[in-house]
Amino acid sequence: MLTSAERQLLLEKARKAKLKAYAPYSRYLVGAALLTEDGEVFTGANIENASYGLTVCAERTAVFSAVLKGKKKFKGIAVSSKEGDLPYPCGACRQVLEEFSPDMEVILDISDGMKVYALNELLPYAFRLTLSEEG
């Protein structure tokens, strides 16, 4: 479970990351801040493409940045979008987050504070593969 200070830090970093989003088509800016188990924070923003299917969400941008640095265990992620919205991660983002840390906290930035969920509340029946030792 995250501390109050960790949650607040992640929200602040997600709000700043949102300002770096590339969203010329939807104009819907999203930022995310991901906390690793060892205390490092990785941020991400949504990056759109004219071919919408190639758009990458803020949450996955943060995860991919962390994984590229060798980080694969996360305590929590905060997500921020325009005021008044509940910036729930999409299904693809939930599945990517679950791949690494199914018990992490998901913090949603809302106008009067935050909503906090366990990832497994948002994705109760995640797809999982069991890898064999041979393969």
Side-chain angles (χ1 to χ4, degrees), residues 2-76:
L2 296 174
T3 67
S4 178
E6 288 172 325
R7 288 178 181 155
Q8 198 57 47
L9 171 71
L10 290 177
L11 278 176
E12 289 170 16
K13 290 194 175 275
R15 289 172 184 150
K16 287 181 183 175
K18 169 177 59 180
L19 302 176
K20 296 180 181 179
Y22 176 74
Y25 307 104
S26 72
R27 305 264 189 255
Y28 189 73
L29 308 179
V30 181
L34 180 69
L35 180 65
T36 66
E37 280 192 349
D38 63 359
E40 199 166 346
V41 176
F42 289 85
T43 59
N46 57 318
I47 301 170
E48 293 182 348
N49 186 273
S51 172
Y52 281 112
L54 299 178
T55 293
V56 179
C57 300
E59 300 91 329
R60 284 182 280 151
T61 303
V63 169
F64 299 160
S65 294
V67 170
L68 283 172
K69 294 287 187 176
K71 309 295 180 170
K72 297 179 185 155
K73 296 290 182 188
F74 311 121
K75 290 176 69 175

